[in-house]
Amino acid sequence: MQQHKILMVLTSHDAMGDTGHKTGFWLEEFTTPYYAFKDAGASIVVASPEGGAAPIDPNSEAEDAQSESTRRFDGDAELQDMVNNTVKLSDVNAYEYDAIFYPGGHGPLWDLAEDPTSRQLIETFYYQGKPVGAVCHGPAVFRHTRSDRDEPLVKGKRVTGFTNGEEAAVGLTEVVPFLVEDMLKENGGLYEKADDFTSYVVTDGNLVTGQNPVSSEACVNAVLALLK
């Protein structure tokens, strides 16, 4: 694989609505794709809307949420430094990258879903034919993205993302600003899903979406397949 340059975009948002609980990005949904890209020889830049430190969802640091990639992160001072010093999204030039990838966690529902810079980046990558990947709550970023016909970008495209059932299972249906499954359907997406909390990934052209945290490995592998 030739050396590709990947842009990974993390949330800057750390508050779970007005519950008093913290959120952010889901660690494993970032670390598994990051190391898959890295081990495939890619160079990676990590960005966020505000730049600087991107908040890790505390729940994703719990023992039962750990994986091989999160443990690798625990010993990786270089990557920890990248997370603590992300590039500001508005300083990113889409033309310098070969793919863009959005990990989930609940944070993106509040900031990246509404961020005009993120929206413009996604549209630029998509219309250049470059892979656009998002996993779990990451597909929230397609809430306002538009096609060249000024229709929702996901209209008529096969997509997946965190299900209504999964959101209910974690007890946050009434907390989140919107439900990813409902939003994708309302935008005309051809929404698909597997059983809750099982791996499921959909590729439609250069758009790759994964359903939930356990889909992160399959999701990044689908993006890598498009880069070959």
Side-chain angles (χ1 to χ4, degrees):
M1 177 181 176
Q2 69 183 79
Q3 187 177 45
H4 290 101
K5 191 171 183 182
I6 312 296
L7 180 65
M8 296 190 73
V9 184
L10 298 178
T11 181
S12 295
H13 187 85
D14 70 352
M16 186 72 81
D18 55 8
T19 63
H21 295 292
K22 292 293 188 182
T23 188
F25 70 90
W26 197 260
L27 185 59
E28 190 275 336
E29 293 172 25
F30 167 67
T31 56
T32 294
Y34 175 87
Y35 287 120
F37 286 133
K38 182 180 175 68
D39 294 345
S43 63
I44 304 119
V45 169
V46 183
S48 68
E50 295 179 11
I56 299 172
D57 187 313
N59 291 328
S60 71
E61 296 181 296
E63 185 54 41
D64 63 358
Q66 300 316 295
S67 67
E68 181 182 344
S69 70
T70 64
R71 286 186 278 272
R72 185 172 169 184
F73 173 79
D74 288 342
D76 189 340
E78 180 182 6
L79 183 53
Q80 291 172 29
D81 186 63
M82 288 173 70
V83 169
N84 287 322
N85 296 279
T86 63
V87 173
K88 192 170 184 177
L89 211 51
S90 57
D91 291 335
V92 167
N93 179 354
Y95 295 91
E96 296 178 356
Y97 297 89
D98 300 298
I100 189 169
F101 192 92
Y102 287 83
H106 283 87
L109 295 171
W110 278 274
D111 65 350
L112 288 168
E114 307 300 329
D115 189 276
T117 303
S118 173
R119 169 183 164 178
Q120 187 174 35
L121 282 170
I122 291 167
E123 292 168 356
T124 301
F125 273 83
Y126 186 81
Y127 291 110
Q128 288 179 340
K130 297 174 179 178
V132 177
V135 65
C136 195
H137 288 89
V141 301
F142 302 120
R143 190 179 194 189
H144 299 299
T145 50
R146 308 294 288 180
S147 73
D148 52 1
R149 292 179 295 189
D150 200 31
E151 296 176 333
L153 184 67
V154 298
K155 184 178 179 180
K157 297 181 179 68
R158 296 172 59 230
V159 287
T160 191
F162 207 59
T163 72
N164 291 353
E166 288 166 336
E167 203 68 83
V170 298
L172 293 168
T173 302
E174 304 303 323
V175 174
V176 294
F178 62 93
L179 296 168
V180 173
E181 176 179 340
D182 285 355
M183 178 275 292
L184 291 171
K185 290 176 177 176
E186 288 162 7
N187 278 354
L190 305 178
Y191 182 84
E192 302 176 12
K193 61 184 176 183
D195 291 341
D196 287 353
F197 301 108
T198 58
S199 178
Y200 191 71
V201 171
V202 175
T203 300
D204 191 325
N206 55 322
L207 186 65
V208 180
T209 47
Q211 180 177 318
N212 48 35
V214 296
S215 307
S216 59
E217 182 175 8
C219 192
V220 70
N221 287 339
V223 173
L224 286 168
L226 291 176
L227 287 169
K228 287 179 178 173

